[in-house]
Amino acid sequence: SRGGKISSDLVYLITGGYGSLGRMASKWLVDKGATKIALVGRQLPAGDNILSFKSEIIKKNVELICLQG
């Protein structure tokens, strides 16, 4: 039983992942030990804001997958 613990072996999928709430959820998961996160949004984000977010997450040795759905 995992008991609600965050596992470094799993991929966590966050829909609406490019918005403020998705970014907060990503950071929380990373802080709890997640090492693989997939973000899904209606459109792939562009601009410096998302680039700095991606850089911050990747620096923590997290595999970040960005998808459009």
Side-chain angles (χ1 to χ4, degrees):
S1 156
R2 295 191 187 272
K5 294 181 182 177
I6 303 301
S7 172
S8 62
D9 297 331
L10 300 176
V11 177
Y12 292 91
L13 175 66
I14 301 174
T15 58
Y18 303 124
S20 298
L21 188 56
R23 292 179 195 188
M24 287 174 40
S26 297
K27 290 178 183 180
W28 182 85
L29 284 166
V30 170
D31 289 343
K32 299 297 180 186
T35 59
K36 299 174 193 81
I37 297 176
L39 303 178
V40 178
R42 286 181 281 194
Q43 296 180 348
L44 290 174
D48 293 337
N49 195 14
I50 191 66
L51 292 177
S52 65
F53 170 74
K54 288 167 78 173
S55 177
E56 177 185 341
I57 295 295
I58 291 170
K59 283 181 186 175
K60 297 181 178 184
N61 293 321
V62 173
E63 181 182 350
L64 185 63
I65 304 162
C66 297
L67 305 167
Q68 181 178 355

